[in-house]
Amino acid sequence: MAAELLVTFWGTRGSIATPGRSTEKYGGNTSSVSIKSHGKYFIFDAGTGIRPLGVEIMGEAAIQKDKQKELFLFLSHTHWDHIQGLPFFQPAYDPSFRLNIYGTSNKDAMLENILVGQMDSSYFPVKLSALGSEMEFNDLQLSDTIEIADNKITLQELDHPGGSLSYKFERDGKKIVYATDHELDFHFTQDGELKNDSELGKQYQAYIQDADLLIADGQYTSEEYEVKKGWGHTAVPTLLNLAQKSRVKQVAVYHHDPMHTDSFIDQLSASYLKKFQDTEPRMDIFWAREGLTLAI
Amino acid sequence: MDEEQQSQSDSRTIAMSRTEVLTGMSRRRVSYLEVNSPERPRLNFKLTDGKVVMGRTTDNQITLPFTNVSRHHACVYINGEDYYVEDNGSTNGTYVNGVKIAKCILRPNDLIQIGATKIYYSEREELCL
Ligand SMILES: [Zn+2]
Ligand SMILES: [Zn+2]
């Protein structure tokens, strides 16, 4: 793999981990994606999928002893399925790592306090403060731009109960958007048309325009969405039609519903691949699966 | 079945040794690639712990002698208990179920495409005797 921008899906499931035979293909671990950019790891969300990523990073660190061991973790929000893997992320225990964590405070608590709370002794045996790595918490503002070497990250607010943040990663003209836990249907019709002149909708559309890869919440079928309005997730046709209108080059449908088995997702994806196979401009679509790495 | 026969069959059931039961439970997973190239016989390739390289030249474990295939196009290898397919920076790409991949874990019935060659991944359980 000679490419310098590698995107790997470590957890693709939404809401709760779903181990077992019926989910082994698309995966049972909750949200976590890495972008390995010229050797540096940028991690998006710390659902249970971050645990195997930690194992991989420890393996690489053992080989490349003198490499800088700095990791960058961006949290969309602090619902369980986006933070639960953090206490099992091995590099966090290793003093030779520096872990930079980015996210937003919610109304009641600073990011650091929420993560400390998850490791309170009522829930977990080891305190966050006892972890060996050097950790830095960065509470972000929407207007922030994060530049790390030649990698640039910008933010967009999403529509989700309690809030959620999207991150756009840019490097050498390539754009990758990570946008999960988002109820796009409040702002767009299922045909991808803007609703009620939504300001957030306009911002979002401009933000994903021409993305090389859009990793986005597509938890529900349109039928499921009808009974799950207000739960903070998107219906597949809304996501895909808006992406098509925004000239996105490749879409990874992400944050799979815990009830969606491999065979269900196979059928769902087959029906949408057919619908979009001849559209102009060309847009590649796939349902994100655990253990898949793309070169962008 | 009268009462005496019934009790005999019961005792036979009990007589099956614990070792026999445990032996029956020992299994291992074996993985295969089924390689379908245009106008060539189908090849069934059993995967082991070794890395399998696929490409145009004859020094590959699986030779795909076609002009749109790179010399050492892609490889399949085991990591832990999972097999992966990885593209070796090929010119025309390696696809899994239609998605152009850099690397992908393999699950039963996955379709790997390299040029016009279709390669199916499958798994079987074998008893260890
Ligand atoms: Zn979620
Ligand atoms: Zn959420």
Side-chain angles (χ1 to χ4, degrees):
Chain A
M1 291 189 293
E4 298 292 0
L5 218 49
L6 296 169
V7 178
T8 302
F9 296 91
W10 299 94
T12 60
R13 195 62 55 174
S15 310
I16 190 165
T18 55
R21 199 175 253 195
S22 66
T23 53
E24 70 167 4
K25 179 174 167 187
Y26 293 95
N29 280 308
T30 59
S31 308
S32 193
V33 168
S34 66
I35 298 176
K36 195 175 184 187
S37 168
H38 299 255
K40 269 190 173 46
Y41 275 103
F42 296 83
I43 305 162
F44 299 87
D45 278 334
T48 62
I50 202 174
R51 190 194 64 80
L53 168 60
V55 174
E56 170 124 334
I57 290 172
M58 295 304 282
E60 288 177 5
I63 301 166
Q64 314 167 328
K65 282 207 170 54
D66 310 322
K67 283 260 166 112
Q68 185 196 22
K69 294 176 182 174
E70 194 168 24
L71 303 171
F72 304 91
L73 170 61
F74 296 85
L75 299 174
S76 60
H77 63 312
T78 54
H79 283 162
W80 282 338
D81 51 325
H82 301 262
I83 62 166
Q84 241 175 1
L86 191 58
F88 301 89
F89 184 54
Q90 288 181 13
Y93 291 78
D94 186 327
S96 67
F97 280 90
R98 180 183 163 85
L99 189 53
N100 301 286
I101 304 178
Y102 301 83
T104 50
S105 323
N106 68 16
K107 302 176 280 301
D108 313 308
M110 300 292 284
L111 175 65
E112 181 172 0
N113 293 340
I114 300 168
L115 298 176
V116 166
Q118 174 177 230
M119 295 174 77
D120 180 90
S121 62
S122 304
Y123 310 114
F124 196 73
V126 184
K127 284 202 182 336
L128 186 74
S129 57
L131 298 190
S133 66
E134 192 184 332
M135 275 192 212
E136 188 188 283
F137 297 87
N138 304 275
D139 273 295
L140 298 171
Q141 304 297 318
L142 281 172
S143 56
D144 285 346
T145 295
I146 303 132
E147 296 199 52
I148 297 156
D150 291 322
N151 309 285
K152 184 173 113 182
I153 290 125
T154 48
L155 323 173
Q156 168 64 45
E157 181 186 5
L158 302 177
D159 195 334
H160 190 64
S164 183
L165 257 192
S166 169
Y167 297 99
K168 177 157 67 182
F169 177 96
E170 291 174 80
R171 166 103 198 207
D172 304 332
K174 300 282 186 187
K175 291 182 201 166
I176 302 166
V177 175
Y178 180 85
T180 194
D181 292 56
H182 187 19
E183 194 155 347
L184 212 47
D185 300 77
F186 279 164
H187 307 275
F188 293 90
T189 66
Q190 294 202 350
D191 296 326
E193 300 294 343
L194 190 71
K195 268 185 186 172
N196 313 322
D197 210 29
S198 159
E199 207 41 56
L200 190 79
K202 284 183 205 164
Q203 281 175 21
Y204 184 75
Q205 186 162 11
Y207 173 82
I208 64 169
Q209 186 73 34
D210 298 317
D212 293 279
L213 174 64
L214 169 63
I215 301 164
D217 185 332
Q219 181 159 347
Y220 301 138
T221 62
S222 21
E223 296 77 28
E224 287 166 339
Y225 180 73
E226 287 310 310
V227 290
K228 289 177 174 174
K229 279 183 187 155
W231 290 29
H233 302 290
T234 295
V236 173
T238 317
L239 164 63
L240 297 181
N241 283 314
L242 176 64
Q244 172 75 39
K245 284 190 163 57
S246 311
R247 307 180 80 87
V248 168
K249 297 185 186 81
Q250 191 173 24
V251 183
V253 182
Y254 185 66
H255 204 272
H256 309 318
D257 192 272
M259 295 301 286
H260 291 180
T261 60
D262 289 340
S263 49
F264 184 89
I265 296 178
D266 279 343
Q267 281 174 21
L268 190 65
S269 67
S271 73
Y272 279 100
L273 291 183
K274 216 176 205 169
K275 276 182 197 155
F276 282 85
Q277 68 186 357
D278 299 319
T279 48
E280 269 304 318
R282 176 189 162 146
M283 180 174 81
D284 292 325
I285 300 166
F286 67 96
W287 265 247
R289 75 183 254 187
E290 202 173 307
L292 166 65
T293 300
L294 306 173
I296 301 297
Chain B
M1 209 183 276
D2 63 27
E3 228 169 87
E4 197 186 345
Q5 280 177 315
Q6 180 81 52
S7 93
Q8 268 181 3
S9 89
D10 279 355
S11 66
R12 258 185 235 116
T13 308
I14 292 162
M16 188 173 175
S17 77
R18 188 167 160 74
T19 322
E20 279 174 292
V21 175
L22 291 176
T23 306
M25 288 177 66
S26 174
R27 290 154 184 272
R28 76 172 159 236
R29 196 187 306 153
V30 189
S31 298
Y32 295 85
L33 296 177
E34 183 195 289
V35 184
N36 301 272
S37 291
E39 291 160 34
R40 304 194 100 220
R42 175 184 301 164
L43 168 74
N44 264 305
F45 195 95
K46 185 174 178 175
L47 294 169
T48 58
D49 287 350
K51 182 169 168 175
V52 175
V53 186
M54 304 179 281
R56 199 180 66 233
T57 50
T58 52
D59 57 341
N60 293 287
Q61 281 82 354
I62 297 176
T63 304
L64 307 171
F66 306 99
T67 47
N68 56 2
V69 174
S70 295
R71 273 169 294 180
H72 303 106
H73 196 107
C75 60
V76 172
Y77 59 89
I78 197 163
N79 180 9
E81 301 214 346
D82 295 308
Y83 281 98
Y84 285 79
V85 60
E86 186 169 328
D87 184 77
N88 290 336
S90 68
T91 307
N92 291 312
T94 300
Y95 292 77
V96 173
N97 304 333
V99 180
K100 190 175 186 183
I101 57 105
K103 182 165 119 177
C104 188
I105 204 164
L106 290 169
R107 296 296 182 215
N109 304 316
D110 275 341
L111 166 61
I112 304 165
Q113 277 171 286
I114 295 175
T117 299
K118 292 182 170 166
I119 303 165
Y120 293 92
Y121 172 81
S122 65
E123 291 176 356
R124 259 169 258 170
E125 295 242 312
E126 276 183 4
L127 286 178
C128 304
L129 302 172

